[in-house]
Amino acid sequence: MSSETERFADVTDIVSNGGRDPDGSARMLGRWTFQYTPARRFVEARLRGRVLNACAGKTKLNHDGEIVRNDLNPERDADTHHDVESIADHFGQQSFDTVVFDPPFDQKQADEKYDGLHASDVYSALDQFNELVRPRGAVLTFGWNSWGMRSFPAFEREETVLLQRGPIHRDVIVTVDRRTSATLLAHDYAGGVREGDTGADR
């Protein structure tokens, strides 16, 4: 198998940039991810139950159920302004059915587009979502890589989607990981069980 084939082996869909919305405006994936119609439609079609939009930004998602909008920027229109690295301290365990995680992908992007606000430890944020998502719930993660919730054995990968941004820009990668177990066991980057985790259901 070629390296190019291996690269796309786990990708379930590729969404090309461009085109126009019905009002004639150009479709471009920019600063506010969910102003880009394909990204918004993708996410909204997968929202179930109580939703945490962990880095909500400017755009509001449509959903029949409750959406808790969190944004670190205190000036942003949001329900809460918690740091995602400790957000589980502010909600009950397994209290959400869906988490949407669309943070600034790196410090440069944060500085240029989001007032320097940035989740410096993405793994800590994912660990928080491991505590917050109910069985059969899902975490939708946007970023430069496809890792998502792979560190947490209670989750299984359902989808990996590339949002293409053109010939000279990196694709944005979206992963959908579903919780298939009630356990809160977490693994470290090397694949071992993290110290202090028992693996018992809580």
Side-chain angles (χ1 to χ4, degrees):
M1 181 181 292
S2 69
S3 59
E4 189 68 14
T5 302
E6 290 173 353
R7 179 187 173 198
F8 291 102
D10 295 330
V11 173
T12 52
D13 196 11
I14 298 175
V15 179
S16 296
N17 203 11
R20 292 189 177 275
D21 285 325
D23 64 1
S25 60
R27 288 181 176 175
M28 299 294 292
L29 184 58
R31 177 183 182 186
W32 305 113
T33 304
F34 303 127
Q35 288 185 350
Y36 179 54
T37 300
R40 186 177 68 251
R41 286 177 177 169
F42 177 87
V43 169
E44 289 177 345
R46 288 156 181 79
L47 300 180
R48 300 289 185 274
R50 190 181 189 219
V51 174
L52 172 63
N53 191 351
C55 301
K58 179 179 178 180
T59 311
K60 295 185 178 181
L61 297 168
N62 294 315
H63 175 51
D64 291 338
E66 179 188 5
I67 297 182
V68 177
R69 288 171 45 81
N70 179 75
D71 197 286
L72 187 58
N73 187 341
E75 298 180 359
R76 190 77 60 215
D77 179 15
D79 302 301
T80 60
H81 300 281
H82 305 309
D83 190 328
V84 290
E85 296 175 27
S86 58
I87 197 168
D89 294 342
H90 305 280
F91 299 100
Q93 262 186 13
Q94 297 187 352
S95 56
F96 290 95
D97 300 285
T98 311
V99 171
V100 179
F101 185 43
D102 178 33
F105 302 157
D106 53 49
Q107 190 62 54
K108 179 181 178 182
Q109 191 183 68
D111 290 341
E112 292 179 352
K113 299 182 178 181
Y114 305 102
D115 305 312
L117 298 174
H118 178 234
S120 58
D121 187 350
V122 171
Y123 182 80
S124 291
L126 298 176
D127 195 16
Q128 299 291 291
F129 305 150
N130 178 48
E131 295 188 24
L132 289 174
V133 175
R134 295 168 177 153
R136 300 307 307 161
V139 178
L140 285 66
T141 305
F142 288 70
W144 294 139
N145 64 64
S146 61
W147 190 257
M149 298 295 287
R150 289 191 186 277
S151 296
F152 306 92
F155 286 82
E156 292 185 3
R157 176 62 47 86
E158 284 194 345
E159 297 178 83
T160 302
V161 175
L162 303 184
L163 300 180
Q164 295 182 326
R165 300 192 302 149
I168 62 173
H169 298 290
R170 286 184 286 180
D171 298 337
V172 172
I173 303 175
V174 189
T175 59
V176 180
D177 296 297
R178 188 163 305 279
R179 183 180 215 102
T180 58
S181 169
T183 180
L184 297 182
L185 180 69
H187 279 199
D188 62 19
Y189 289 115
V193 177
R194 283 177 30 200
E195 184 177 355
D197 284 316
T198 65
D201 290 353
R202 303 180 190 178

